Amino acid sequence: MAKPNPALHLKALRRKAQRVLWWERAWESLRWPLLLVAFYVLACLARIPQSLPDWLHTLLEAGVLGTALWLTITGLRRVPPVSIPVADRRIEHDSKLAYQPLLSLTDRPAFAGNGEQSAIWSRHVERVTASLGTLRVGLPHPETSLHERLALIAVPLAIVVAAVLGGTHTPSRLHAGLIPGVDDDSIPLPTLQAWIDRPSYAPGAPIFLSATGRNTLDVPQGAILNATITGAHGKPALHGIASPEQNRLDAESWNSHGTLQQSGTISIVVRGRTLGSWHAKVEPDLPPTVTWDGKPGPQKDDWRTGLPWHVHQTSGVASLEAEINLPGLTRGRILRVPIPLDGQPKDAKGVATPDLSSDPFAGMEVEGRLHARSASGRESRSDIVKFQIAARKFNDPLARALVALRRRLMLGQQRASQAAAELNLLTQTTDERAILAALALEIASLQKDAPDGSADRVPGELWALALYLDDLRRDGPDIADAAAEVRAAQQGVQQQLDHMRDLGDKGHTLPEQEELQRRTQALKDALNRRMQLLFSRAAQSGIVMPQSGTSSADPFSDEMRRLQSEANQGHGDEALKRLQQMEDMAERMRQASPEDLKALAEQMKAQAEARAQRAALHDLVHRETTLLDHTQSRLSAAQKAAAPPDDGSRPDVSQMSTADLLRQLGMQPPPGMDQPTDAKPPAPVDPATVAAQSDGRRADHALQRALQRVNDILSHRVKDLTGKPATAFDKAKTDMQTAREALADRKDAEAQTAEQKVLADLSEAGKQMRQNQKSGGSGKGQGGSLSFIPSGGAGGSGKPQHGAKGQQGDDGDQPQAGDEDGDDDDQKDQDPLGRKLGEGDKGKDSDAHIPDKSARDRARDIERELRRRASDRTRPQSELDYLERLLKSF
C-alpha cells in the first residue's frame, strides 16, 4: 500500500481546521436563531401555533422563522475567515505538538544564500514534516458559558420529552405546526356522509360510502358523488373528479358533488387530512348493440311483416325502431316503425309484427336497419338488410287500381293532376253511387284550387275506399259497412292514444279520459255489430255458435276496459299493443270463411267444456273440504271428551320440535324441517263420543263415495277434452278410498289425514288440468286459437292469444276452482288446500279476530323459545339460517 504524501495530508487537515474554527466563530451568531427555532418546535409539539387562526398562525410562523433566518444571515456575514497560521495552531493544539513545529513549514531562511543553503533548508523542512507523526483536528468546541451549556442540555431534552408525550401524534403535530391550514391527529375528524347517486339511465339504490368500508366501487359512467361534511374548519377538497362543485351550507358544513367519468381514486381532504378514499371503477356508457336476429319479411299467410331484432346495452334500451327506405327513390322517404319494448331491457330479442300493408312500400323490396337508443341517450344502428314488406291481397279490380294509384302518389311518382285524371277514368268502371261520390270527393281534393291540406287526406281515404270495395265484393254491403265502421273507430282510438301520449302527464286529465272512453265505446259497439253479422252469416250456413263465455254482456267489454285503464294510467305502449290485438281480431273477422266459423264454434264449445270442468272441480273441492271440516269437528269433540280436566297449564314449548313450534304460530315449516324429532302417539279419544257420532260419519261415508264417482267422471272428461290424462285424479281416487275405509272403521284421525291428501291431490289435478288445456292437446276443438273473440284466459284454446304477457281476462260467470287467476269470492278465504279459513265447520277468520290472552301468551312463549334455539350454535346450520330469517320479522 502506497504511503500518503505528508504535504497533501497536511493541506487537507488545514482545510478541516479552518472549517472547525469557522463553526466555532459562527456559534455566537447561530445560537440565538437556533434557540428561536427550538422554541417554535416546542410550541408546535404543544399545539400552540395550530390552535391559532390560520392567518395568525401564518403570521407567527413567518415572524419566528423570518427572524431566525435574518439573524443567521447577518451573523454569518460578520464571521471573519480563518488564516492558515491560525489553522496550524489548531492542528498543533489538537495533535499535541510542542514548540509549534508547523512554523518551520511556513518559515523562510533570513539569508537565502547560495543554492547549497536552499537545499539544506528544504532538507530541514522535509525532516520536520516527516517527524510530525499523526496529525488530527478535533470537533468544534466553541467557548460557552455555564448558562449556555445548561441551555444546550435543557432545550433538546425538552423537545425529546414533548415528542415522547406526543406519541404517535408527534409527526402530525410538527406537520400541522409548520404548515398553516392543516390539522393534526389530535383534532376530531369532521363527519362525512358520502354516497353515489346512479345516473338516470341506470336507476338503482344509492351507494353509501364509508371511510372504513369497501374501497372499490363499480359504478356506471355519469354517476354523481355527493358528500356532506359537517364540523369542518376549512373548505374540503374533492380529488379525482373533474370540475367538482362545492356549496357551503353553514360555517362548518359543506356539500360537495361531482360526476364520475373515468376510473380512478377519489378522495376527500379537509385541512390536510383524508376523510375518505375510494377506488372507482367506472363502467363506460357504450352505445347499444343492435342487430337483426333473422331475415325480415312477410309472415306466413299474414298481412304483417316480421322484424326480428336483438338489442343489448348494460344500462337498458329505451327505444327501438326500424328505418325502412326504398332504394333509388329520389325523394328519399324513410319509413320509421317503432318496435315496442318491455320496459327498458338490457338484453332482449323478439320479432315485431307491425301492419305495414297500408304503407306505399308494401309488396316492394326495401332496405332497412334497426335504430336503438339507450336510456342514457346513446344511439346505434344495425347493418342494412334487404327484404320485402308484406302486402294485402285485394280481389276487387277497382280496389287494386286505387292502391296502385295511391302508391305512385305517395312516392312522388305521379303528380296530383295526373292522379285526379286517373281517378276520373276509374269512375267509369263502377255504377255504385257511394263509390262514385267518394271518387268525386277525392278528385276534388286533388285539384289546384282545393283547400290547403285536402290532398294530404287523399292517401288515407283511398286506402279505406279500397278496403271497403274488397269487403263489398266479397261480403255484401252490410258487412262492408260494419267493417268500415270498425276501422274508423279503431283509427279514432289510435288518434286519441297518440294524443294522450304526446301530452304526457297532461294527457291523463278527466276530459281526455272521457274522450277515450267515448271512442272505445264506439269501437266496442262497432265490433259487436260486426260480430253479430258474423254469427248471422254462420247461422245461414247452418253453424250454431255457442256463447263466448265472457263475464260481460259482449265479448269485447273486458278488453276495452283494460285498454282504457292502461291508457289512463300512462301505459301508452301497452294500450297500443292491446289496440293492435283488436285490429288483428277485426281483420281475421273480416277474412273469416265458413270453415273458420266452424272451427271457431268448436273451439268455443271446448272452452265452455273447460269452464264446466273447472266448475265441477271447484264444487268437488268445496264438498271434500266440508267432509274434512266434519271429520275434524268429530275428532276434536272426541279428544276433548277424553282429555282430563284443564288445570290451566300449557304444554312445554321447549319439548316441542321446531317444526311444531312453527305450526303453532300458523306457519308452514320448510321441507327439511318437517320431520318430527319424536313420534308422538295420537291423542286419546272418547269411545262413547265416537259411537254417538255414527250418523254423521255414515252420511260422510256416503258423500265420500259420491265424490269418488264424480272424481272418476271428471277425470275421463278432462282426458276426452285435452287428450292428456291428469294423473292427480287417480291419486285422489286412491286417497278417497282410504278415507271411506277409515270412516267405515270409525277412525276419524286416519280419515282426516286421507281427506287432507285428497285436497292436495285435487289441487294438483287442477294445475294439471289447466296446463293440459293451455297446451292444447289432441282433443276436440283444440286446433287453432280463438282469433275472433278475446279468450280471456279461459284455457280452452289451442294456443295462447296474441296478447301481452300477463294479460288475462275473465273466464265467465262460472266459478273456477283451482284457477290461479280466478276471481271467485269463495276462494278469497281459503287456505292452499282449498279449505275455508276459520274454526269448526262454519267459522270464518277475519281481520277483526282478536286472540284471547292464552293464545297471546302462548305465542310469546313460542317466540321466546325460537329465539333461544336461534342462539344455540350446535343446531344444524340450515335450521339456524331459517330461524334468523324468520325472527327478523318479529
Side-chain angles (χ1 to χ4, degrees):
M1 182 175 180
K3 187 177 181 179
N5 190 341
L8 294 177
H9 179 60
L10 179 60
K11 186 177 180 180
L13 282 176
R14 283 173 175 169
R15 288 196 298 269
K16 182 178 179 181
Q18 285 178 327
R19 290 195 297 270
V20 169
L21 290 171
W22 186 89
W23 278 111
E24 290 179 353
R25 295 178 181 181
W27 166 249
E28 186 176 355
S29 301
L30 293 177
R31 56 183 178 176
W32 295 112
L34 290 176
L35 184 62
L36 193 60
V37 171
F39 279 134
Y40 187 77
V41 170
L42 280 173
C44 292
L45 293 175
R47 302 188 62 254
I48 295 175
Q50 52 264 46
S51 64
L52 301 174
D54 291 342
W55 66 271
L56 188 55
H57 181 184
T58 304
L59 186 62
L60 175 62
E61 183 176 355
V64 171
L65 299 183
T67 301
L69 182 62
W70 178 77
L71 291 175
T72 301
I73 294 175
T74 56
L76 293 179
R77 286 179 178 178
R78 292 196 298 267
V79 175
V82 180
S83 62
I84 291 179
V86 176
D88 289 345
R89 301 293 80 74
R90 182 58 179 266
I91 295 173
E92 293 171 348
H93 178 272
D94 291 345
S95 302
K96 297 180 180 180
L97 298 177
Y99 308 112
Q100 298 181 347
L102 294 182
L103 288 176
S104 300
L105 302 180
T106 58
D107 199 4
R108 294 288 183 270
F111 300 100
N114 51 25
E116 183 178 356
Q117 292 178 345
S118 298
I120 294 172
W121 181 257
S122 298
R123 182 61 180 169
H124 171 69
V125 171
E126 291 177 1
R127 285 201 306 267
V128 172
T129 304
S131 64
L132 290 176
T134 302
L135 300 177
R136 65 186 183 85
V137 176
L139 296 175
H141 49 85
E143 295 181 1
T144 56
S145 64
L146 178 61
H147 295 88
E148 289 178 345
R149 288 194 295 270
L150 293 176
L152 286 174
I153 297 174
V155 172
L157 182 60
I159 293 176
V160 172
V161 171
V164 172
L165 293 177
T168 58
H169 298 298
T170 297
S172 67
R173 289 185 180 182
L174 291 176
H175 181 259
L178 295 176
I179 301 178
V182 174
D183 290 335
D184 59 71
D185 293 344
S186 303
I187 301 297
L189 280 173
T191 302
L192 171 66
Q193 292 181 347
W195 68 95
I196 293 179
D197 288 327
R198 301 174 66 88
S200 58
Y201 69 85
I207 303 174
F208 292 93
L209 307 179
S210 173
T212 59
R214 57 178 182 174
N215 293 326
T216 302
L217 308 172
D218 294 328
V219 295
Q221 185 178 3
I224 300 175
L225 172 67
N226 295 276
T228 300
I229 301 99
T230 56
H233 299 289
K235 184 178 181 180
L238 189 60
H239 301 291
I241 295 181
S243 303
E245 298 182 7
Q246 296 181 342
N247 301 318
R248 188 163 191 168
L249 304 179
D250 55 36
E252 296 183 351
S253 300
W254 296 79
N255 176 262
S256 303
H257 57 275
T259 304
L260 303 178
Q261 296 294 347
Q262 58 185 2
S263 301
T265 300
I266 308 168
S267 60
I268 300 176
V269 180
V270 178
R271 295 184 63 83
R273 304 172 68 190
T274 301
L275 301 184
S277 179
W278 311 274
H279 180 73
K281 183 180 179 182
V282 178
E283 184 177 358
D285 179 28
L286 300 177
T289 302
V290 54
T291 57
W292 292 101
D293 196 37
K295 176 69 174 178
Q299 296 290 287
K300 184 178 180 181
D301 300 330
D302 202 354
W303 66 95
R304 294 186 175 275
T305 303
L307 303 176
W309 52 270
H310 182 200
V311 292
H312 170 76
Q313 216 273 349
T314 55
S315 61
V317 181
S319 63
L320 178 65
E321 66 178 6
E323 299 176 345
I324 303 174
N325 66 288
L326 187 66
L329 188 63
T330 56
R331 294 178 60 181
R333 178 179 181 270
I334 297 179
L335 172 62
R336 304 184 186 276
V337 182
I339 298 177
L341 300 173
D342 187 8
Q344 294 184 351
K346 297 181 179 180
D347 191 355
K349 61 174 61 178
V351 179
T353 56
D355 182 9
L356 305 179
S357 60
S358 61
D359 193 83
F361 290 165
M364 305 179 70
E365 191 78 14
V366 296
E367 292 180 348
R369 61 180 179 180
L370 297 172
H371 174 208
R373 179 181 291 104
S374 68
S376 60
R378 304 295 298 273
E379 300 181 10
S380 65
R381 288 174 169 81
S382 68
D383 296 334
I384 296 177
V385 297
K386 292 185 177 181
F387 60 94
Q388 185 178 5
I389 295 182
R392 291 177 184 265
K393 297 179 180 180
F394 291 90
N395 298 320
D396 186 76
L398 180 56
R400 292 197 298 268
L402 291 177
V403 171
L405 184 149
R406 172 179 176 269
R407 172 184 298 170
R408 294 192 299 271
L409 183 62
M410 294 182 68
L411 296 181
Q413 299 173 349
Q414 192 171 9
R415 294 193 299 271
S417 58
Q418 296 174 337
E422 187 171 345
L423 285 175
N424 192 19
L425 294 175
L426 291 176
T427 57
Q428 302 176 12
T429 62
T430 181
D431 295 332
E432 292 288 340
R433 293 185 178 181
I435 305 301
L436 291 174
L439 291 176
L441 181 61
E442 307 306 329
I443 294 172
S445 300
L446 293 174
Q447 301 300 325
K448 294 182 178 180
D449 56 351
D452 295 338
S454 299
D456 298 337
R457 298 192 298 268
V458 171
E461 294 172 354
L462 288 178
W463 179 256
L465 184 58
L467 292 175
Y468 180 79
L469 285 170
D470 205 54
D471 291 339
L472 183 64
R473 181 182 184 88
R474 185 182 57 225
D475 300 322
D478 293 338
I479 294 182
D481 291 341
E485 185 180 2
V486 170
R487 287 192 293 271
Q490 289 173 345
Q491 185 177 5
V493 174
Q494 176 77 50
Q495 292 174 353
Q496 181 63 16
L497 291 176
D498 294 340
H499 176 65
M500 294 175 66
R501 185 172 58 180
D502 294 340
L503 290 178
D505 294 338
K506 297 181 180 178
H508 304 155
T509 59
L510 183 60
E512 297 295 340
Q513 295 179 8
E514 291 177 348
E515 178 63 20
L516 177 63
Q517 182 179 5
R518 185 186 65 80
R519 297 192 181 196
T520 53
Q521 181 64 34
L523 176 58
K524 184 186 71 172
D525 295 340
L527 287 171
N528 286 332
R529 283 191 289 272
R530 181 67 181 89
M531 182 65 67
Q532 292 175 2
L533 292 174
L534 183 69
F535 283 11
S536 298
R537 190 173 70 174
Q540 295 173 2
S541 302
I543 301 173
V544 179
M545 303 297 294
Q547 295 293 328
S548 63
T550 57
S551 59
S552 304
D554 57 77
F556 302 104
S557 293
D558 295 334
E559 291 296 315
M560 292 302 168
R561 187 183 68 252
R562 294 189 182 97
L563 184 149
Q564 184 178 350
S565 175
E566 290 166 351
N568 293 337
Q569 294 175 6
H571 303 158
D573 293 339
E574 295 298 328
L576 291 175
K577 288 180 183 179
R578 196 171 296 276
L579 180 61
Q580 178 179 328
Q581 297 166 24
M582 305 300 293
E583 293 174 355
D584 291 347
M585 287 187 290
E587 184 61 27
R588 291 189 176 91
M589 197 184 302
R590 171 179 174 265
Q591 298 180 356
S593 63
E595 291 77 11
D596 296 330
L597 295 176
K598 185 176 181 180
L600 177 62
E602 293 296 327
Q603 293 175 29
M604 294 175 67
K605 290 178 182 177
Q607 189 182 56
E609 174 65 16
R611 288 196 304 274
Q613 291 175 7
R614 287 195 298 276
L617 178 60
H618 173 78
D619 184 68
L620 184 60
V621 170
H622 178 73
R623 294 181 183 276
E624 189 67 35
T625 302
T626 303
L627 287 180
L628 179 58
D629 286 339
H630 293 171
T631 304
Q632 289 177 336
S633 298
R634 290 193 302 269
L635 184 61
S636 177
Q639 292 175 350
K640 185 175 181 181
D646 188 7
D647 58 356
S649 62
R650 298 191 299 268
D652 187 5
V653 295
S654 63
Q655 303 301 322
M656 300 173 63
S657 66
T658 304
D660 291 336
L661 284 175
L662 295 178
R663 292 190 185 95
Q664 291 289 330
L665 289 175
M667 304 175 62
Q668 186 69 21
M673 197 185 298
D674 205 16
Q675 301 298 329
T677 55
D678 297 323
K680 296 183 180 179
V685 296
D686 180 33
T689 305
V690 172
Q693 296 169 344
S694 298
D695 293 340
R697 195 177 293 106
R698 190 179 301 107
D700 288 350
H701 182 276
L703 180 59
Q704 185 67 82
R705 182 176 182 180
L707 295 181
Q708 185 175 351
R709 178 59 180 162
V710 172
N711 178 80
D712 292 340
I713 296 174
L714 184 58
S715 176
H716 292 308
R717 290 179 61 183
V718 169
K719 184 176 181 181
D720 292 340
L721 177 66
T722 63
K724 300 178 182 179
T727 57
F729 283 114
D730 297 333
K731 294 176 61 179
K733 178 181 179 181
T734 303
D735 292 331
M736 286 181 179
Q737 180 63 33
T738 303
R740 286 177 54 198
E741 294 174 357
L743 290 173
D745 295 338
R746 298 183 178 182
K747 298 179 180 179
D748 285 328
E750 297 180 6
Q752 173 185 257
T753 302
E755 288 164 355
Q756 290 175 343
K757 291 181 179 180
V758 170
L759 288 173
D761 296 336
L762 293 179
S763 178
E764 181 63 25
K767 295 178 182 179
Q768 294 179 359
M769 184 173 65
R770 289 192 303 273
Q771 185 63 33
N772 293 345
Q773 291 171 355
K774 289 180 180 179
S775 62
S778 58
K780 286 190 304 181
Q782 298 300 311
S785 64
L786 297 176
S787 56
F788 311 148
I789 304 175
S791 64
S797 61
K799 60 184 178 181
Q801 299 303 304
H802 298 278
K805 182 180 179 181
Q807 294 172 359
Q808 299 201 4
D810 297 328
D811 284 338
D813 51 4
Q814 296 293 334
Q816 303 173 17
D819 275 1
E820 295 177 348
D821 56 348
D823 54 358
D824 187 12
D825 291 338
D826 291 340
Q827 295 180 359
K828 295 179 180 179
D829 300 304
Q830 291 180 353
D831 61 14
L833 295 179
R835 300 183 63 242
K836 286 188 177 181
L837 300 174
E839 302 172 354
D841 57 345
K842 294 182 180 180
K844 192 172 184 179
D845 290 341
S846 68
D847 292 340
H849 177 70
I850 302 177
D852 56 15
K853 183 177 184 300
S854 176
R856 293 196 301 269
D857 293 341
R858 183 167 180 78
R860 278 194 290 269
D861 292 341
I862 294 175
E863 178 188 349
R864 192 178 302 110
E865 175 63 20
L866 289 176
R867 292 189 183 277
R868 186 191 67 79
R869 297 188 183 190
S871 62
D872 184 3
R873 298 291 98 181
T874 62
R875 293 183 175 273
Q877 188 60 39
S878 59
E879 180 178 343
L880 293 176
D881 294 340
Y882 180 81
L883 290 175
E884 289 178 1
R885 293 194 303 269
L886 174 66
L887 292 174
K888 287 180 180 179
S889 61
F890 284 91

